[in-house]
């Protein structure tokens, strides 16, 4: 009552404002005002005054501070009554305690914020759907996964469910299964993702490997309320695995070639002995024939056929990496340019030929073998461009492994290119796709052998229709080694020395003995290392030991060591088609031992023996 300034309160008012319910004292306006929170009074008073002036209803919320210090929130509503003159006479109001509601709402908000923080902070991409497939929510990891900006609004509607690429890997199917109440899982699917429907964001394209789990959230009656999808990116792991598989495949390939190499090397070794005998006896036959003998032509043909065979065994030996090498340090560029005129002649007129070399440091490689590598690659490139094209030879600096500088030789053609099938067998000896009589299948096998034996590596880029590039990498090598001294002084004096010839192959032993006897030497033969040691016991003087390297039992190098120890000054000549004896190989490459490569001609044998004795 505005006139008497008295308030009539319900018991609930007394309680709310912190007065005992039994305190039914006469309430005055200050009893009300005193307990309103100071911060809330101005707004509350304003609401009431406005309603009074405008004759409208008022609403307000405010806090009550009770004498015990506790605070309650309440909302109030009311209106004024007026006399005939329009003056306010009374105010009617009611209040409602909102404290518990507000607390519950605040708790709910807090819980919601907490869950949001968990979902947003999760490293796993989370998306929540209605059962009909509408996206309700997507977290930061999910946005990142599909490459959408984190702060974009409206993006929640985007879903992998609608993405055709994701559907391809079965996401939609998983979703259906999940709506039917069963959780589902996708293991490692590759997604090639573009976000085309969101043109306002920069178009983002990403390939990634995805793993997902979908599970249904059930309501009180076991109906599916929502579907939650967890997606995580396993690209790093999958790529590491793919790399491992690729390396394993490379290793398997290398092991296969190693095995074939062993086989090829064995065959070539035995075959060399056969060829040595054929060539040698042909040489002897020729020297025994009169100059006008009509059969000389036949002998010549035998010699030519044996030489062709020698060519084959040489290629097989380079593949099996058992060749004796004479590596030297040289710049690839200069060597390539010296070969250009010869290479150009190999190419047809409709082929462009481009050579770009840079000074990139030396390599330590057998020069003849390098020429063989380049020649084989160029011939293959030519064969791959039956309708013409462009052949490019290039050198550049490269790396073997990180930190190991290398010299790179690249031979590129614009020809047919290769299928994966061809690439898988490329380096195997006798693998060819060329018509019978055109290809031997030894070209790349030889390249492989030479490059591996000289510490290099081959890399290949090729696909059908896109030409091929072979890259050969060799470790860079700067120090030059001593120039080989191969000059042989020939003296015409008849020979009188005594030679011990050790060779396990009877035909070859006989051959060597014949050739050298013919030169005037006294020859003693032995069929093995042990045999040779025994024979040597009974001979007072030997000038030179000519020995095969690879023999059952005591091999050539050990035999030579023992005999030289007993007889200082004994000269030694080794002969072999191939050897895995590293000490000897080293000696040969350093020019410190006399070495005769099988198969040899009568002339070559005579020369090396003579040279070694005279040196
Ligand atoms: P060949 O040349 O005698 O067939 P190679 O060992 O030199 O033997 O090559 C083996 C096979 O590799 C060839 O038959 C061919 O199918 C393929 N090849 C080699 N080089 C190339 C190239 N530059 N382009 C396309 N295919 C090639
Ligand atoms: Mg070839």
């Amino acid at each position: 009552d505005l006139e008497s300034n008295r308030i009539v309160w319900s018991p609930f008012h007394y309680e709310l404002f912190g007065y005992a319910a039994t305190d039914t004292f006469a309430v005055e306006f200050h009893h009300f005002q005193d307990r309103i929170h100071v911060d809330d009074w101005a707004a509350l008073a304003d609401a009431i005054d406005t309603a009074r002036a405008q004759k409208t209803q008022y609403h307000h919320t405010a806090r009550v501070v009770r004498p015990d210090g506790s605070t309650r929130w309440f909302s109030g509503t009311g209106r004024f009554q007026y006399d005939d003159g329009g003056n306010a006479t009374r105010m009617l109001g009611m209040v409602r305690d909102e404290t518990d509601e507000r607390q519950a709402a605040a708790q709910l908000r807090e819980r919601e914020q907490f869950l949001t923080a968990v979902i947003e902070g999760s490293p796993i991409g989370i998306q929540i759907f209605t059962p009909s497939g509408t996206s309700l929510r997507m977290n930061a990891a999910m946005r990142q996964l599909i490459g959408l900006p984190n702060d974009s609004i409206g993006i929640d509607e985007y879903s992998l469910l609608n993405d055709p690429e994701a559907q391809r890997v079965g996401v939609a199917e998983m979703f259906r299964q999940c709506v039917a109440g069963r959780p589902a899982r996708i293991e490692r699917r590759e997604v090639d993702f573009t976000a085309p429907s969101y043109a306002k964001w920069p178009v983002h394209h990403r390939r990634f490997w995805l793993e997902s789990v979908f599970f249904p959230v059930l309501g009180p009656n076991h109906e599916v309320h929502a579907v939650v999808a967890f997606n995580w990116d396993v690209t790093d792991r999958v790529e590491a695995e793919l790399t491992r598989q690729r390396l394993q495949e490379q290793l398997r390939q290398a092991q296969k070639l190693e095995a074939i190499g062993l086989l090829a090397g064995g065959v070539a070794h035995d075959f060399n002995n056969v060829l040595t005998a054929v060539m040698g006896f042909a040489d002897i036959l020729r020297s025994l024939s009169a100059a006008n003998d009509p059969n000389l032509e036949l002998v010549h043909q035998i010699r030519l056929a044996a030489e062709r065979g020698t060519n084959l065994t040489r290629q097989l030996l380079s593949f099996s990496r058992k060749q004796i090498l004479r590596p030297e340090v040289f710049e690839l560029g200069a060597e390539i340019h010296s070969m250009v005129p010869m290479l150009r002649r190999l190419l047809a007129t409709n082929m462009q030929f481009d050579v770009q070399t840079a000074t990139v440091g030396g390599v330590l490689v057998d020069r003849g073998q390098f020429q063989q590598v380049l020649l084989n690659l160029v011939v293959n490139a030519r064969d791959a461009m039956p309708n013409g094209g462009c052949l490019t030879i290039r050198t550049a600096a490269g790396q073997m492994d990180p930190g190991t500088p290398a010299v790179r030789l690249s031979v590129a053609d614009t020809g047919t290119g290769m299928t994966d099938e061809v690439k898988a067998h490329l380096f195997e000896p006798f693998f060819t796709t060329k018509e019978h009589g055109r290809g031997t299948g030894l070209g790349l096998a030889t390249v492989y052998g030479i490059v591996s034996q000289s510490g290099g590596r081959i890399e290949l880029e090729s696909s059908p229709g896109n030409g091929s590039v072979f890259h050969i990498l060799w470790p860079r090598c700067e120090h030059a080694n001593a120039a080989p001294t191969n000059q042989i002084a020939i003296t015409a004096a008849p020979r009188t020395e005594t030679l011990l010839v050790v060779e396990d192959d009877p035909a070859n032993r006989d051959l060597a003995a014949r050739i050298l006897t013919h030169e005037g030497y006294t020859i003693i033969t032995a069929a093995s290392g042990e045999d040779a040691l025994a024979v040597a016991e009974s001979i007072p003087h030997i000038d030179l030991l000519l020995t095969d390297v690879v023999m059952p039992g005591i091999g050539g190098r050990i035999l030579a060591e023992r005999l030289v120890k007993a007889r200082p000054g004994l000269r030694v000549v080794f002969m072999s088609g191939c050897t895995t004896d590293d000490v000897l190989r080293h000696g040969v490459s350093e020019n410190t031992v006399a070495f005769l490569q099988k198969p040899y001609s009568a002339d070559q044998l005579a020369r090396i023996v003579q040279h070694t004795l005279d040196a």
Side-chain angles (χ1 to χ4, degrees):
D1 184 286
L2 297 178
E3 264 159 54
S4 63
N5 195 26
R6 293 288 293 275
I7 303 176
V8 182
W9 265 357
S10 70
F12 179 73
H13 268 97
Y14 286 100
E15 196 193 322
L16 176 66
F17 281 79
Y19 301 102
T22 48
D23 287 349
T24 46
F25 56 88
V27 185
E28 295 185 12
F29 190 71
H30 73 89
H31 287 112
F32 170 71
Q33 182 182 353
D34 286 352
R35 301 236 161 143
I36 300 296
H37 194 290
V38 283
D39 292 347
D40 296 346
W41 177 251
L44 187 152
D46 192 50
I48 292 175
D49 286 350
T50 308
R52 178 179 181 164
Q54 297 179 352
K55 303 188 175 168
T56 53
Q57 198 159 346
Y58 67 81
H59 303 279
H60 61 73
T61 50
R63 279 165 290 179
V64 171
V65 181
R66 291 156 155 181
D68 64 3
S70 65
T71 301
R72 305 293 292 177
W73 277 97
F74 73 96
S75 65
T77 180
R79 55 185 298 272
F80 287 84
Q81 287 184 336
Y82 305 86
D83 61 16
D84 296 341
N87 301 309
T89 54
R90 283 177 170 188
M91 188 183 91
L92 302 173
M94 49 187 154
V95 291
R96 214 175 132 254
D97 188 336
E98 282 191 343
T99 313
D100 294 343
E101 265 166 55
R102 278 183 171 252
Q103 261 170 13
Q107 268 170 15
L108 209 63
R109 233 179 3 254
E110 239 172 69
R111 240 195 354 245
E112 169 117 5
Q113 276 165 3
F114 172 73
L115 286 177
T116 300
V118 170
I119 291 174
E120 280 300 308
S122 157
I124 289 173
I126 299 175
Q127 193 168 22
I128 304 170
F129 300 98
T130 65
S132 62
T134 306
S135 173
L136 293 176
R137 171 164 204 170
M138 184 192 281
N139 72 349
M142 187 68 199
R143 288 189 179 88
Q144 207 196 352
L145 186 68
I146 55 182
L148 295 177
N150 205 18
D151 54 353
S152 320
I153 309 149
I155 233 167
D156 278 358
E157 19 179 295
Y158 172 78
S159 127
L160 278 178
L161 283 183
N162 307 327
D163 191 84
E165 182 60 26
Q167 286 215 25
R168 189 182 60 75
V169 303
V171 170
E173 175 49 38
M174 282 214 322
F175 185 80
R176 275 193 293 279
Q177 185 180 329
C178 214
V179 171
R182 276 168 291 132
R185 185 181 179 106
I186 289 191
E187 315 259 0
R188 278 158 121 262
R189 304 294 178 96
E190 193 179 19
V191 181
D192 190 352
F193 173 77
T194 317
S197 51
Y198 291 89
K200 57 185 163 170
W201 294 302
V203 171
H204 185 91
H205 178 254
R206 222 192 132 212
R207 290 176 74 93
F208 59 95
W209 289 84
L210 182 72
E211 223 163 78
S212 314
V213 167
F214 281 46
F215 78 86
V217 180
L218 301 182
N221 300 319
H222 299 288
E223 76 282 12
V224 175
H225 228 66
V227 173
V228 182
F230 292 101
N231 302 292
W232 56 99
D233 189 336
V234 289
T235 309
D236 287 352
R237 207 177 72 204
V238 171
E239 275 173 1
E241 205 169 298
L242 291 177
T243 307
R244 215 195 61 223
Q245 279 172 7
R246 207 169 39 241
L247 289 178
Q248 251 172 6
E249 176 54 28
Q250 277 172 8
L251 180 66
R252 212 184 55 75
Q253 186 78 4
Q255 281 169 340
K256 183 173 74 178
L257 291 175
E258 191 69 39
I260 299 175
L262 264 164
L263 188 72
V267 171
H269 174 257
D270 291 347
F271 205 64
N272 255 345
N273 280 336
V274 175
L275 287 173
T276 305
V278 172
M279 278 170 70
F281 286 118
D283 285 349
I284 293 175
L285 195 54
R286 185 174 52 191
S287 67
L288 294 179
S289 308
N292 59 354
D293 189 331
N295 288 336
L296 260 183
E297 176 54 23
L298 304 183
V299 176
H300 182 59
Q301 289 301 332
I302 293 172
R303 193 75 172 59
L304 283 183
E307 269 164 25
R308 276 201 300 279
T310 307
N311 241 336
L312 267 171
T313 52
R314 195 166 45 237
Q315 289 182 65
L316 276 178
L317 281 172
S318 25
F319 172 67
S320 64
R321 282 171 277 144
K322 286 189 182 155
Q323 262 195 330
I324 302 289
L325 298 181
R326 292 180 192 275
E328 47 185 306
V329 177
F330 62 93
E331 268 278 344
L332 290 189
E335 192 62 35
I336 292 170
H337 281 291
S338 76
M339 290 176 71
V340 163
M342 187 266 286
L343 295 175
R344 203 184 290 280
R345 272 198 297 279
L346 291 171
L347 303 180
T349 46
N350 59 358
M351 291 172 192
Q352 252 183 302
F353 186 30
D354 190 17
V355 179
Q356 299 170 14
T357 60
T359 306
V360 285
V363 294
L364 179 65
V365 178
D366 183 304
R367 209 184 274 263
Q369 299 230 310
F370 169 74
Q371 293 172 349
Q372 183 78 55
V373 166
L374 187 58
L375 184 69
N376 290 4
L377 292 178
V378 168
V379 167
N380 280 348
R382 177 201 62 192
D383 292 349
M385 301 189 289
N387 302 318
C390 183
L391 170 73
T392 313
I393 300 176
R394 210 174 264 133
T395 64
Q399 287 202 328
M400 293 302 292
D401 310 303
T404 313
V407 171
R408 175 196 294 268
L409 165 73
S410 305
V411 178
D413 65 64
T414 56
T416 53
M418 283 170 259
T419 60
D420 287 344
E421 169 68 14
V422 169
K423 281 198 261 183
H425 298 288
L426 209 56
F427 297 111
E428 292 169 19
F430 306 115
F431 174 81
T432 177
T433 59
K434 295 172 189 169
E435 63 196 67
H436 188 70
R438 287 253 302 138
T440 59
L442 282 172
L444 288 178
T446 308
V447 169
Y448 179 86
I450 291 173
V451 172
S452 313
Q453 192 174 355
S454 52
R457 190 172 75 213
I458 306 177
E459 286 169 4
L460 171 62
E461 293 170 46
S462 182
S463 61
N466 295 319
S468 311
V469 190
F470 284 86
H471 301 283
I472 316 272
L473 285 145
W474 274 293
R476 201 172 73 198
C477 181
E478 296 306 354
H479 66 89
N481 54 355
T485 49
N486 268 345
Q487 292 87 348
I488 294 173
I490 299 171
T491 52
R495 311 308 304 198
T496 54
E497 291 93 340
T498 302
L499 312 187
L500 174 56
V501 176
V502 189
E503 161 71 83
D504 60 326
D505 183 87
N508 274 339
R509 190 169 61 239
D510 187 25
L511 172 68
R514 274 178 196 245
I515 294 170
L516 296 170
T517 308
H518 185 72
E519 296 289 312
Y521 298 106
T522 305
I523 303 297
I524 300 140
T525 59
S528 70
E530 290 83 348
D531 198 8
L533 288 174
V535 169
E537 294 281 306
S538 56
I539 300 167
H541 183 77
I542 302 173
D543 294 289
L544 181 139
L545 168 70
L546 172 68
T547 177
D548 191 16
V549 177
V550 184
M551 293 182 290
I554 297 177
R557 188 171 58 81
I558 303 291
L559 172 66
E561 265 173 27
R562 294 207 190 159
L563 284 182
V564 169
K565 210 165 167 191
R567 301 159 186 261
L570 175 68
R571 310 287 168 95
V572 182
V573 174
F574 294 101
M575 53 186 170
S576 184
C578 64
T579 178
T580 49
D581 189 322
D582 287 331
V583 176
L584 191 63
R585 268 172 193 242
H586 189 70
V588 172
S589 67
E590 299 280 303
N591 269 303
T592 53
V593 303
F595 179 79
L596 181 63
Q597 175 87 44
K598 282 185 192 175
Y600 51 80
S601 66
D603 197 37
Q604 283 168 331
L605 174 60
R607 272 162 180 265
I608 196 162
V609 167
Q610 183 182 334
H611 172 65
T612 308
L613 285 170
D614 293 346

